[in-house]
């Protein structure tokens, strides 16, 4: 994790959902391995969970800056997968929140913490999360890059938002980096100094009267997903029906987005799947060995010979490290095969975990 953080004591990842223009933030204290996630998106929970797992982060809490109107939070799904707390302002009144938050609370993760600052005005339940050393803050929709959240629905109030931004966010040090909840033009971060100087709604010499006049005359359409998003967020993202799971195997999605299976599961269910080795013939028959019962179909020939693959069983793709088989998995998925997965870590991990391999040319007809 220290290397992933670039040698810094704090790891920060900014993730993006293109459909809703939403930023999600993952923070982790390198020393302890504990972390938090801010504003996760329901449809991206597999991506977020995969990153948490790949980096070995013990997720302490999934936090939302407010009850969103444009997407459903992924907090419930992350809570279900990791046991992390669900954090949201108590003022939002949502169900399933295990950590109701109020102004002045602190959310700790390892040696680090986030201060909760109440910043209503976009909604009653908006909060900003400020890192303990005041070097960064996560403003949700209260303050955006050169803009701010709208005030014309969901308890919005321009006078309240002016007070929140000027009293709780722009009073942070000028050097404090501000990470917004949304942006639609690729702007991922700003600073207190920048917004004081250049925010057209409230920066420079703008007064509260200027700000309110601007906000009350924007005439924006309602978010097109509001009818779905608000009820979902009032349940903290808990679905009305359980998500359907893959029926044939406990698939794990890598951060790259590919379905993977562990050697342990594959070894225990080898009779239920078809193992397809995509290495070259000399590797398949060479000293590294192969998994007993696996079928050789080299990666360069996979597309042309796809008809040779078994149709009656799910496919598990194998290579030396899991790299070439990942590409094979991707190709088969694009071709429409649904029950397909990559063997995580490839033959190397299979062998390291003590599962059998065989060497030499297979018997004639095998």
């Amino acid at each position: 994790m220290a290397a992933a953080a670039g040698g810094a004591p704090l790891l920060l990842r900014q993730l993006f959902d293109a459909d809703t223009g939403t930023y999600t933030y993952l923070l982790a204290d390198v020393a302890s391995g504990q972390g938090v996630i801010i504003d996760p998106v329901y449809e991206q929970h597999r991506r977020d969970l995969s990153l948490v797992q790949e980096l070995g982060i013990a997720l302490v809490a999934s936090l939302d800056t407010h009850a969103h109107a444009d997407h459903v939070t992924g907090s419930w799904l992350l809570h279900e997968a990791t046991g992390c707390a669900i954090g949201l302002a108590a003022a939002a009144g949502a169900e399933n929140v295990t950590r109701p938050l109020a102004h002045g609370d602190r959310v700790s993760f390892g040696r680090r913490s986030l201060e909760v600052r109440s910043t209503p005005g976009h909604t009653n339940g908006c909060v900003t999360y400020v890192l303990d050393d005041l070097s960064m803050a996560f403003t949700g929709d209260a303050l955006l890059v050169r803009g701010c959240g709208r005030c014309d629905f969901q308890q919005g109030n321009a006078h309240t938002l002016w007070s929140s931004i000027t009293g709780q966010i722009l009073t942070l040090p000028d050097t404090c980096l501000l990470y917004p909840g949304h942006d639609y033009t690729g702007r991922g971060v700003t600073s207190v100094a920048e917004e004081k100087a250049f925010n057209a709604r409230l920066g420079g010499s703008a007064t509260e009267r200027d700000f309110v006049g601007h906000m009350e005359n924007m005439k924006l359409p309602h978010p097109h997903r509001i009818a779905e998003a608000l009820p979902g967020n009032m349940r903290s993202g808990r679905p009305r029906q359980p998500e359907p799971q893959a029926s044939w195997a406990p698939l794990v999605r890598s951060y790259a987005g590919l379905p993977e299976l562990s050697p342990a599961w594959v070894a225990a269910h080898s009779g239920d799947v078809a193992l397809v080795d995509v290495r070259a013939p000399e590797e398949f028959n060479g000293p590294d060995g192969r998994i007993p019962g696996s079928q050789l179909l080299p990666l360069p020939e996979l597309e042309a010979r796809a008809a040779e693959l078994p149709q009656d069983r799910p496919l598990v793709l194998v290579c030396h490290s899991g790299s070439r088989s990942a590409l094979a998995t991707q190709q088969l998925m694009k071709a429409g095969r649904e029950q397909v997965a990559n063997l995580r870590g490839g033959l190397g991990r299979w062998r390291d975990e003590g599962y059998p391999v065989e060497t030499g040319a297979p018997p004639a007809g095998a």
Side-chain angles (χ1 to χ4, degrees):
M1 193 185 301
L10 182 77
L11 178 142
L12 170 64
R13 290 287 185 271
Q14 184 182 55
L15 307 167
F16 187 64
D17 178 63
D19 286 343
T20 61
T22 301
Y23 286 118
T24 296
Y25 301 95
L26 178 65
L27 292 87
D29 170 48
V30 172
S32 67
Q34 293 185 350
V36 297
I37 194 166
I38 299 172
D39 286 341
V41 175
Y42 186 96
E43 290 82 2
Q44 299 288 357
H45 77 275
R46 289 189 180 91
R47 175 201 67 183
D48 299 344
L49 181 61
S50 295
L51 181 58
V52 166
Q53 292 173 334
E54 287 185 4
L55 295 179
I57 295 171
L59 199 63
V60 171
S62 180
L63 307 171
D64 280 290
T65 53
H66 62 295
H68 310 276
D70 48 14
H71 71 273
V72 177
T73 178
S75 283
W76 170 263
L77 296 176
L78 290 168
H79 163 76
E80 192 174 39
T82 69
C84 70
I86 296 175
L88 180 70
E95 300 174 355
N96 303 311
V97 174
T98 64
R99 182 78 187 273
L101 300 170
H103 183 77
D105 286 350
R106 286 193 173 271
V107 180
S108 297
F109 54 106
R111 302 176 184 177
R112 309 305 299 266
S113 66
L114 293 169
E115 176 196 357
V116 179
R117 293 196 178 191
S118 180
T119 49
H122 173 60
T123 76
N124 278 350
C126 284
V127 298
T128 291
Y129 298 104
V130 181
L131 193 64
D132 45 32
D133 61 2
L134 307 184
S135 64
M136 60 181 71
F138 303 87
T139 58
D141 287 9
L143 183 63
L144 306 174
V145 179
R146 305 300 191 267
C148 63
R150 60 195 294 176
C151 304
D152 57 337
F153 70 99
Q154 207 179 352
Q155 314 98 35
N157 183 286
H159 293 282
T160 303
L161 186 57
W162 167 270
S163 297
S164 293
I165 294 172
T166 58
Q168 297 297 332
I169 299 175
L170 298 186
T171 53
L172 291 164
D174 282 354
T175 54
C176 181
L177 298 178
L178 304 177
Y179 291 92
H182 293 279
D183 196 86
Y184 305 97
T185 61
R187 300 169 300 187
V189 63
T190 182
S191 67
V192 169
E194 287 177 74
E195 296 310 310
K196 280 182 176 178
F198 304 120
N199 191 304
R201 301 180 188 182
L202 49 86
S205 60
T207 65
E208 181 175 354
R209 183 176 64 250
D210 297 321
F211 177 75
V212 172
H214 181 119
M215 299 305 295
E216 290 184 348
N217 288 279
M218 293 182 69
K219 299 180 181 178
L220 298 171
H222 268 33
H224 72 279
R225 293 186 61 186
I226 188 170
E228 167 196 358
L230 281 181
N233 287 320
M234 294 309 288
R235 301 190 302 271
S236 299
R238 183 173 186 169
R240 294 190 185 278
Q241 300 294 332
E243 276 211 322
Q245 301 296 319
S247 59
W248 66 277
L251 298 175
V252 175
R253 295 272 171 178
S254 71
Y255 186 46
L258 289 177
E260 295 186 331
L261 288 169
S262 69
W265 188 91
V266 173
H269 298 83
S270 59
D272 302 323
V273 300
L275 288 159
V276 181
D277 194 315
V278 299
R279 294 175 298 161
E282 56 269 26
E283 295 176 275
F284 186 77
N285 298 320
D288 285 345
R290 61 185 173 273
I291 298 175
S294 56
Q295 171 187 352
L296 174 64
L297 209 169
L299 179 60
E301 304 171 26
L302 181 64
E303 185 175 356
R305 296 175 56 191
E308 300 177 25
L309 294 169
Q311 300 293 321
D312 60 340
R313 288 169 290 163
L315 304 179
V316 178
L317 284 297
V318 184
C319 71
H320 176 260
S321 67
S323 174
R324 285 171 286 177
S325 55
L327 180 57
T329 302
Q330 186 179 51
Q331 289 179 357
L332 290 173
M333 291 172 64
K334 286 182 177 179
R337 286 297 293 254
E338 295 182 355
Q339 294 188 337
V340 59
N342 189 30
L343 178 65
R344 174 169 284 188
L347 184 65
R349 180 169 172 178
W350 174 276
R351 191 172 47 238
D352 289 345
E353 294 188 6
Y355 298 108
V357 296
E358 58 185 16
T359 58

